Amino acid sequence: MEAFKEHVGLVVPLDRINVDTDQIIPKQFLKRIERTGFGEFLFYDWRYLENGDPNPDFVLNHPRYAGASILIAGVNFGCGSSREHAPWALQQYGFKAILAPSFADIFRNNCYKNGILPISLPANIITSLGQEAHKTEGYRLMVDLEDQSVVCPDGTVHTFEIGDFEKYCLLNGLDEIGWTLQYETDITAYENRGH
Amino acid sequence: MQKTMYEKIWDAHLVRSSDDEVPILYIDTHLVHEVTSPQAFEGLRLNNRKVRRPDLTFATMDHNVPTTDRSLPIKDLIAAKQMETLAQNCAEFDIPLYDINSPEQGIVHVIGPELGITQPGKTIVCGDSHTSTHGALGALAFGIGTSEIEHVLATQCLLQHKSETFEIRVDGTLPYGVTAKDIILSIIGHIGIDGGNGAVIEYTGSAIRALSIEERMTVCNMSIEAGARAGMIAPDDSTYEYIAGRRFAPKNEAFDDAAEQWKQLPTDDGAEYDRTLILDAADIAPQVTWGTNPGMVTDVTGQVPDPAEMTSSDEKQATKHALEYMDLKPGTPMTDIIVDRVFIGSCTNSRISDLRAAAEVVKGRKVADTVNAMVVPGSQAVKRQAEAEGLHDIFRSAGFEWREAGCSMCLGMNPDTLSPGQRCASTSNRNFEGRQGKGGRTHLVSPQMAAATAVTGHFVDIREFSS
Ligand code: SF4
């Protein structure tokens, strides 16, 4: 897995709550058997018009947000289907971190496994960061995982929570399967207990 | 110490746990389907890893499969490739597969219980969020992503944090015409689509006890639509009766031994949940969704809401968006909404009792001229049973299409989709934008309500329809 330590990037605000994984990556793109090639289909139905042209109204298509790598969204981001294609699409598009007041459970897990950092911050802070991003062209944030902080251009620091193990995995780009396999004797012992 | 059912199952499956490590949880059953697994098998190959317990792994094809004549070649070559890949992976790693031509094929959450694979007290995972369905039999069952599928294939374990427990108690007797689907939709309406985020919900109370096992599956199935990690219902005599005699169920004495163990599972008196919500079954009416997530729901006697009446600005905006997408005006009575399509199927409502209930409504009636309606049984076994009972004739002579088993228009990965702008009454679980086809508009309802809607061409209050 890709490691995550710190990241400075352009911020794009997606002013929607309850963004579900069907929107992040619609089902017609789930037929691929590879782990790659999903970035171009991210938010497909919002991003493209009927004729396949980019939808000029969709925020990711505004030229000022080209190259954005930090996404700001509303509550319960990533709800719905367990498809890991959603974080794959976000990551392959170029997103490194997602900031929202809350995330859906499975989606958050899936992000960790792919080197994307989901950051929950109080709704009022998310709202004000989103407003800044709208107001200030080229608005960038710094995310520091070691310190568990988001640093604004004016120096304001917002700290966030993350589980110790998740932090450790991300910082080290840990192979979680390898981690579990070091306890193979425990697994075998469990199986032999007659379960 | 008194424990909840979740805590009992959790404790019994800990391979390793200490204060400063994430617990390692053993997985008893791993269900696999074609869409979320190819990259996991590929990961195994890249790292030279094997499947630890192919004997605890079961695979089927459901999401992609066409529901038309199975003797014809599959037209969608990419979908065919994905199915072929699953077959190759199962052959390579020695995993039993119920493929498209198997008499046992069906939606993974329908065939698990049907084959007796789903049992009380088990930990069950699948790369699909509706794995919560299996909790209806007293299992701890939840959906996982592809990286975790690979993890379970390689280790038969998962690194898991313990969840909060959330009791939702539904007391009393369900009024006439109100179904399990209406219970769960109204719960989601109450607590919101993130109201159970990350929690394990245990459904309790006399109204839940009175449900059949298939109805309990409908309730547990949609736990994820409230954001919950899992939903579960304590096993009881109905559960044991349901399991007995199924293919993978323990037999004879082994069954009695297992049943003794299962009887230990229900939550102890006095055990505490982190949260409890109590609802009265008598207050629940038939439900219809009006928006673009399952929490946007109201009584069939209700109306499309007005964004202006929403309290928060986020909600106002979300409602406005939803109504634009759904092409609905505030204040419209739900029963005035006209549909183009009706879909009876999905892992929420495609079991034999669902089809019987829908057939009962349809019997001797005709689908409205303006409506195209289809029934997609959840599994080949459900289809056979329905045909043995003559349900297919009832549906067909009413003008419904009668299809082969699969997920079908629940998510429209196969050719069964809505066209842009089409409106559908659907017994599935998600009314997200584009879920059933780009630009398609989905209203979630019970099988009875879907059947009645097919006949009249608009939503109707099933309580008045049948009388
Ligand atoms: S029927 Fe629908 S919700 Fe159920 S497993 Fe299939 S696609 Fe998922």
Side-chain angles (χ1 to χ4, degrees):
Chain A
M1 186 189 83
E2 220 175 293
F4 186 108
K5 290 190 167 56
E6 55 169 46
H7 175 74
V8 181
L10 182 68
V11 178
V12 57
L14 178 62
D15 301 328
R16 291 229 185 183
I17 59 171
N18 297 318
V19 173
D20 60 76
T21 53
D22 273 76
Q23 307 317 316
I24 299 174
I25 182 86
K27 73 279 170 135
Q28 63 268 37
F29 307 112
L30 307 186
K31 291 177 192 165
R32 301 175 62 83
I33 55 171
E34 299 85 16
R35 223 177 232 265
T36 51
F38 294 99
E40 57 189 297
F41 306 122
L42 177 72
F43 295 123
Y44 190 86
D45 289 351
W46 290 347
R47 214 165 123 202
Y48 299 99
L49 297 169
E50 210 57 61
N51 64 8
D53 287 348
N55 175 0
D57 293 337
F58 186 57
V59 68
L60 284 192
N61 292 330
H62 299 176
R64 59 177 281 203
Y65 296 120
S69 59
I70 297 177
L71 181 69
I72 294 192
V75 290
N76 199 30
F77 188 80
C79 60
S81 154
S82 61
R83 57 187 72 163
E84 198 162 315
H85 312 68
W88 293 339
L90 287 158
Q91 190 224 32
Q92 289 159 19
Y93 178 87
F95 286 114
K96 293 279 193 192
I98 306 167
L99 277 59
S102 62
F103 295 89
D105 181 40
I106 304 178
F107 175 80
R108 185 208 318 256
N109 265 326
N110 285 340
C111 282
Y112 290 137
K113 314 275 186 239
N114 290 283
I116 299 182
L117 184 58
I119 299 175
S120 305
L121 289 172
N124 59 332
I125 295 178
I126 293 293
T127 308
S128 75
L129 292 177
Q131 282 165 352
E132 282 303 321
H134 277 293
K135 245 180 15 211
T136 319
E137 203 161 328
Y139 187 73
R140 295 160 87 83
L141 289 170
M142 182 173 100
V143 176
D144 186 326
L145 177 55
E146 188 67 67
D147 290 353
Q148 299 181 209
S149 66
V150 175
V151 186
C152 306
D154 66 0
T156 318
V157 177
H158 304 289
T159 55
F160 60 88
E161 296 294 320
I162 180 170
D164 292 343
F165 185 72
E166 284 73 14
K167 182 174 174 178
Y168 175 80
C169 288
L170 278 171
L171 284 173
N172 297 289
L174 187 83
D175 167 19
E176 291 189 25
I177 297 177
W179 166 275
T180 302
L181 284 176
Q182 53 173 325
Y183 299 113
E184 204 175 348
T185 44
D186 297 87
I187 302 174
T188 309
Y190 178 91
E191 287 171 331
N192 291 342
R193 286 208 294 274
H195 289 285
Chain B
M1 202 191 89
Q2 290 96 340
K3 290 186 191 175
T4 61
M5 177 163 65
Y6 168 65
E7 287 160 338
K8 292 182 191 184
I9 300 177
W10 173 268
D11 289 348
H13 288 83
L14 281 178
V15 168
R16 235 187 113 79
S17 81
S18 71
D19 286 348
D20 50 0
E21 274 174 25
V22 184
I24 300 182
L25 194 73
Y26 197 80
I27 302 303
D28 294 320
T29 300
H30 186 188
L31 305 167
V32 173
H33 66 81
E34 77 277 24
V35 174
T36 55
S37 67
Q39 297 86 354
F41 285 109
E42 188 58 22
L44 290 183
R45 273 189 289 269
L46 288 174
N47 292 289
N48 230 335
R49 288 172 174 146
K50 290 202 282 289
V51 174
R52 182 177 178 87
R53 296 294 300 268
D55 57 321
L56 301 181
T57 313
F58 299 86
T60 190
M61 299 173 177
D62 54 3
H63 282 65
N64 253 330
V65 299
T67 54
T68 43
D69 191 345
R70 290 274 151 96
S71 60
L72 300 173
I74 297 171
K75 288 204 200 93
D76 180 341
L77 296 180
I78 313 176
K81 170 100 178 133
Q82 205 169 44
M83 290 180 239
E84 223 177 85
T85 304
L86 179 65
Q88 282 164 4
N89 285 328
C90 288
E92 179 181 342
F93 293 100
D94 214 14
I95 293 169
L97 167 68
Y98 301 101
D99 72 6
I100 185 166
N101 296 313
S102 158
E104 318 293 359
Q105 177 267 344
I107 304 173
V108 63
H109 310 310
V110 174
I111 69 169
E114 195 171 79
L115 291 170
I117 295 169
T118 306
Q119 293 169 19
K122 276 191 174 186
T123 47
I124 301 176
V125 296
C126 174
D128 187 283
S129 59
H130 293 97
T131 309
S132 57
T133 313
H134 306 262
L137 289 101
L140 171 59
F142 52 93
I144 55 177
T146 299
S147 296
E148 288 183 315
I149 296 175
E150 188 180 334
H151 202 124
V152 178
L153 288 172
T155 68
Q156 202 57 32
C157 292
L158 272 179
L159 297 164
Q160 276 286 300
H161 291 287
K162 201 164 171 183
S163 301
E164 280 191 356
T165 51
F166 185 4
E167 178 191 27
I168 298 184
R169 193 159 95 211
V170 190
D171 287 324
T173 312
L174 279 184
Y176 169 78
V178 179
T179 68
K181 181 68 162 283
D182 303 306
I183 297 183
I184 188 63
L185 281 172
S186 101
I187 288 174
I188 298 165
H190 262 86
I191 65 176
I193 59 167
D194 58 355
N197 198 356
V200 170
I201 299 176
E202 184 181 341
Y203 302 94
T204 65
S206 50
I208 300 291
R209 278 290 131 230
L211 297 177
S212 72
I213 298 301
E214 295 195 348
E215 290 170 320
R216 294 179 194 181
M217 289 187 216
T218 301
V219 173
C220 288
N221 174 274
M222 290 189 69
S223 304
I224 178 70
E225 306 318 331
R229 171 155 303 185
M232 53 187 0
I233 295 173
D236 56 16
D237 288 343
S238 323
T239 319
Y240 314 138
E241 260 166 51
Y242 176 91
I243 296 170
R246 293 186 185 266
R247 167 141 17 135
F248 290 94
K251 304 274 153 28
N252 306 319
E253 265 174 43
F255 184 87
D256 298 337
D257 291 349
E260 275 317 303
Q261 302 231 323
W262 296 340
K263 286 177 186 160
Q264 311 301 317
L265 287 169
T267 296
D268 298 327
D269 283 342
E272 282 186 21
Y273 299 92
D274 294 312
R275 267 192 289 169
T276 293
L277 171 77
I278 301 172
L279 298 172
D280 187 345
D283 295 340
I284 303 175
Q287 303 286 295
V288 186
T289 62
W290 49 264
T292 51
N293 71 50
M296 294 175 159
V297 64
T298 186
D299 295 352
V300 64
T301 48
Q303 298 168 355
V304 175
D306 190 342
E309 285 164 18
M310 305 280 157
T311 43
S312 80
S313 66
D314 274 352
E315 249 177 277
K316 263 195 187 90
Q317 214 204 2
T319 307
K320 204 171 134 267
H321 262 304
L323 295 191
E324 270 165 25
Y325 182 86
M326 295 296 289
D327 191 26
L328 290 172
K329 295 210 168 43
T332 310
M334 294 311 290
T335 47
D336 281 2
I337 298 172
I338 291 168
V339 308
D340 310 295
R341 306 279 297 266
V342 170
F343 171 65
I344 298 180
S346 90
C347 57
T348 315
N349 282 127
S350 64
R351 297 179 181 81
I352 189 69
S353 54
D354 299 313
L355 303 195
R356 284 178 191 142
E360 183 72 31
V361 173
V362 166
K363 200 169 186 174
R365 296 184 160 112
K366 288 266 180 258
V367 170
D369 291 342
T370 47
V371 174
N372 170 303
M374 67 197 281
V375 183
V376 183
S379 69
Q380 295 297 336
V382 169
K383 180 167 184 265
R384 279 193 299 276
Q385 177 65 28
E387 288 178 353
E389 295 176 22
L391 304 185
H392 65 311
D393 286 335
I394 297 177
F395 285 120
R396 276 198 181 133
S397 53
F400 276 84
E401 288 180 47
W402 177 250
R403 296 294 190 88
E404 301 291 333
C407 294
S408 178
M409 209 160 72
C410 173
L411 91 165
M413 267 189 87
N414 75 349
D416 310 337
T417 54
L418 296 179
S419 311
Q422 276 191 330
R423 190 181 296 285
C424 179
S426 176
T427 66
S428 56
N429 43 47
R430 285 190 177 136
N431 49 342
F432 295 152
E433 285 183 27
R435 171 84 178 176
Q436 296 192 293
K438 185 168 179 172
R441 301 173 177 133
T442 303
H443 296 265
L444 304 176
V445 287
S446 71
Q448 289 87 325
M449 290 273 285
T453 305
V455 171
T456 56
H458 57 84
F459 290 109
V460 274
D461 188 340
I462 187 73
R463 296 168 298 189
E464 285 161 17
F465 183 79
S466 315
S467 55

